[in-house]
Amino acid sequence: MYTRQRRRRTAPSAPVSIYEVHLGSWRRGPDNRFLSWDELAEQLPAYAAELGFTHVELLPIAEHPFDGSWGYQVTGMFAPTRRFGDPAGLARLVAACHARGLGVILDWVPAHFPADDFGLASFDGGPLYEYADPREGFHQDWNTLIFNFGRAEVCDFLVASALYWIERWGVDGLRVDAVASMLYRDYSRAEGQWLPNVHGGRENLEAIALLRRVNQLIHAEAPGAVTMAEESTAWPGVTRPSTDGGLGFDYKWNLGWMHDSLAYMRQDPIHRKHHHDQLMFSIVYAFDERFVLPLSHDEVVHGKGSLLGKMPGDRWQQFANLRAYFGFMWAHPGKKLLFMGGELGQRREWNHDRGLDWDLLESDSEGAEHRGVQLLIRDLNRLYCSRPALHELDCAAEGFEWVVSDDYDQSVLVFLRKDSAGASVLVACNFTPVPRHDYRVGVPGSSAWIERLNSDDSRYGGSGIGNGPGELVSEAIPTHGHARSIVLTLPPLATIILEPS
């Protein structure tokens, strides 16, 4: 029964909305101590479920010596970290998530490991787990060692680790970190600092074989469990079955969408008309893979600032931009991932040494705006999950249609999302602070339409401009390739979502 639930929960046609969490800094206890597994089990699943997320994704919880690595420099590939207490508590956290209807995904790190002498480095006095030649075995970006993917015993060790987290702890999938660094022998290396493969190429054939094997075995031994790739290049077929020449992952992070859309949102609205293509380009390749749209921890650290801090304008415009961006993201094809703190509209960037700024929600003077962002995320998740048009064809071109893509001057985008039964949802985004009145758009069918979500709603901290609770009756005025059309009010810096009434 649970296998069927797991399959339904992660299928390409299912709504998948992931809350990414670093357990050590989601909340802290008195004296800034870590919460225990059981304290996390009591608080985290209830919170994520109340906000409508379908999954939680945990930054690596395998044992690691350095807090500042966030878990990505692992020394214990089979050991839950002791930071949160006895390992049995992890099983209780996973069970608590499942009891709330949440799937659990773990970050898994087979790309590299730290060079600490108490770990796997030079385990028997020589290069046992790592490549011997530093041109293969040393990762220059992270000062770490690279597993010897050409050694059968090392690959067996890594495959066993992947299966262990799923079989022993009952998690529902793995997000594989830094896949691009595994695929290419010349990853982040200058000429002369890498060794080619046996054919003289740059591909790491042994790592490719390992990834395919991991995916095949997980799908065979744990039906319904998923694997997701953090892969930042244009490597073809990341989510194609390995039997068809692909890597066999279920989903790939769409880092291109993330980079382009955030670059657009950083622009002052007066200049956005010159960058209109940055929001549109992702649709060109949106259905080449099964994608997750990630606003992950990597975007809110190392001086990048918070999501709110990336938004231009005064305080009101920053919040309005962020709400409009979230609306665009949740309506865009692809599964969703949001790192903790984004739902609060947190102003400072993430700090792994302290908890999130939960007090923002309680402030009398500013709390309403932060509570508004949190409420919007809840409502977006609920709408996304309840409307098949917003998720069923996330990975299929048939589920998307441009209505208005060429309104550069007004920075407006309008598109339709569709389900397999023919139902449609209309999405309109206005990325300027100027309301657009009497904006006519073509619509399918003859039904009246009604506004279901407006990121400028006063409940979210917006101005309250919109299309009201009433019906928008379509008229027999051909527009945008449709026989009928409706007239909209587009709120400033806002995304609105409508459906037939």
Side-chain angles (χ1 to χ4, degrees):
M1 179 177 177
Y2 181 70
T3 296
R4 291 198 300 271
Q5 292 175 347
R6 181 188 263 169
R7 281 175 168 159
R8 287 197 302 268
R9 186 183 284 143
T10 55
S13 60
V16 176
S17 183
I18 304 166
Y19 186 52
E20 188 191 31
V21 179
H22 178 256
L23 292 180
S25 59
W26 181 65
R27 289 184 186 270
R28 287 288 180 102
D31 300 322
N32 203 37
R33 67 166 176 80
F34 293 124
L35 298 185
S36 68
W37 293 117
D38 289 319
E39 288 173 316
L40 289 163
E42 183 179 350
Q43 299 177 46
L44 176 60
Y47 177 79
E50 171 60 25
L51 289 188
F53 289 100
T54 64
H55 294 72
V56 294
E57 179 178 320
L58 306 181
L59 270 63
I61 57 170
E63 195 59 87
H64 52 281
F66 177 44
D67 287 350
S69 76
W70 316 327
Y72 289 100
Q73 295 193 13
V74 177
T75 53
M77 296 293 287
F78 293 82
T81 179
R82 294 182 60 193
R83 287 167 175 80
F84 313 117
D86 186 273
L90 171 59
R92 293 190 291 272
L93 172 59
V94 173
C97 288
H98 289 166
R100 290 280 185 169
L102 295 166
V104 180
I105 299 165
L106 294 187
D107 280 12
W108 182 63
V109 190
H112 61 117
F113 61 96
D116 301 281
D117 56 11
F118 54 78
L120 299 176
S122 301
F123 192 75
D124 63 350
L128 184 66
Y129 285 90
E130 65 269 34
Y131 288 105
D133 193 316
R135 291 174 293 176
E136 296 179 292
F138 183 74
H139 204 300
Q140 298 175 338
D141 286 356
W142 301 311
N143 293 321
T144 52
L145 302 177
I146 299 172
F147 284 106
N148 185 347
F149 303 119
R151 190 166 194 163
E153 298 90 341
V154 173
C155 289
D156 288 346
F157 172 81
L158 292 173
V159 169
S161 171
L163 288 171
Y164 163 80
W165 293 101
I166 294 172
E167 294 179 342
R168 173 64 180 83
W169 302 105
V171 303
D172 303 287
L174 302 176
R175 199 277 307 201
V176 183
D177 181 62
V179 169
S181 74
M182 299 175 66
L183 296 176
Y184 300 97
R185 287 178 161 267
D186 63 346
Y187 181 86
S188 198
R189 294 179 185 272
E191 188 68 31
Q193 294 181 349
W194 60 281
L195 297 178
N197 62 34
V198 293
H199 304 299
R202 59 196 286 252
E203 300 83 6
N204 192 323
L205 303 178
E206 296 86 2
I208 293 166
L210 170 68
L211 291 171
R212 287 172 171 163
R213 183 181 170 202
V214 166
N215 287 323
Q216 288 172 344
L217 283 173
I218 286 176
H219 294 140
E221 299 296 326
V226 295
T227 57
M228 300 180 178
E230 184 205 18
E231 203 286 306
S232 56
T233 73
W235 185 279
V238 172
T239 59
R240 190 187 311 145
S242 55
T243 52
D244 294 336
L247 295 181
F249 286 93
D250 295 282
Y251 293 101
K252 172 183 173 175
W253 276 21
N254 192 339
L255 296 170
W257 171 88
M258 179 273 296
H259 283 293
D260 288 348
S261 62
L262 282 177
Y264 177 88
M265 294 305 299
R266 287 189 185 98
Q267 299 292 332
D268 187 293
I270 199 171
H271 300 304
R272 284 177 176 165
K273 63 183 178 182
H274 305 299
H275 302 271
H276 200 67
D277 290 341
Q278 286 184 304
L279 285 190
M280 297 169 52
F281 180 64
S282 59
I283 296 300
V284 173
Y285 61 87
F287 311 108
D288 293 348
E289 303 273 8
R290 293 187 297 274
F291 280 120
V292 173
L293 308 182
L295 291 178
S296 76
H297 62 280
D298 282 327
E299 311 320 312
V300 292
V301 290
H302 298 322
K304 296 178 184 177
S306 65
L307 292 179
L308 182 65
K310 301 180 198 302
M311 302 296 138
D314 58 23
R315 182 181 178 85
W316 188 91
Q317 289 190 359
Q318 283 188 304
F319 276 97
N321 272 300
L322 183 62
R323 294 192 304 267
Y325 182 45
F326 283 150
F328 170 72
M329 173 183 174
W330 257 257
H332 189 286
K335 309 310 180 185
K336 325 301 175 191
L337 180 141
L338 180 65
F339 183 58
M340 64 182 201
E343 83 282 7
L344 306 180
Q346 182 159 299
R347 186 164 291 279
R348 67 168 175 88
E349 72 174 27
W350 173 48
N351 180 350
H352 68 272
D353 283 326
R354 55 181 284 193
L356 299 179
D357 294 337
W358 297 99
D359 58 320
L360 292 173
L361 299 174
E362 301 167 5
S363 168
D364 292 334
S365 59
E366 301 177 356
E369 293 163 311
H370 297 281
R371 291 192 297 272
V373 174
Q374 188 185 50
L375 180 61
L376 174 66
I377 293 297
R378 186 201 70 177
D379 290 351
L380 283 169
N381 274 328
R382 291 181 178 182
L383 192 67
Y384 169 69
C385 291
S386 64
R387 303 304 194 271
L390 287 172
H391 65 253
E392 184 186 9
L393 299 179
D394 261 338
C395 307
E398 296 79 12
F400 180 89
E401 177 189 333
W402 281 119
V403 178
V404 179
S405 61
D406 58 354
D407 194 350
Y408 290 70
D409 287 339
Q410 298 189 95
S411 299
V412 169
L413 290 174
V414 184
F415 53 90
L416 289 166
R417 295 296 311 278
K418 306 174 184 179
D419 66 20
S420 59
S424 297
V425 166
L426 181 72
V427 182
C429 306
N430 175 14
F431 288 109
T432 72
V434 181
R436 308 295 180 186
H437 299 284
D438 301 320
Y439 197 97
R440 185 173 292 277
V441 299
V443 292
S446 58
S447 300
W449 292 70
I450 190 166
E451 187 177 270
R452 292 300 186 195
L453 186 140
N454 178 351
S455 70
D456 192 49
D457 194 305
S458 57
R459 296 186 307 127
Y460 308 135
S463 66
I465 296 174
N467 296 277
E471 294 183 339
L472 300 169
V473 179
S474 64
E475 302 173 276
I477 300 176
T479 311
H480 304 127
H482 292 276
R484 301 184 70 85
S485 58
I486 58 176
V487 173
L488 296 174
T489 294
L490 304 184
L493 296 172
T495 295
I496 59 174
I497 301 177
L498 307 95
E499 65 181 352
S501 61

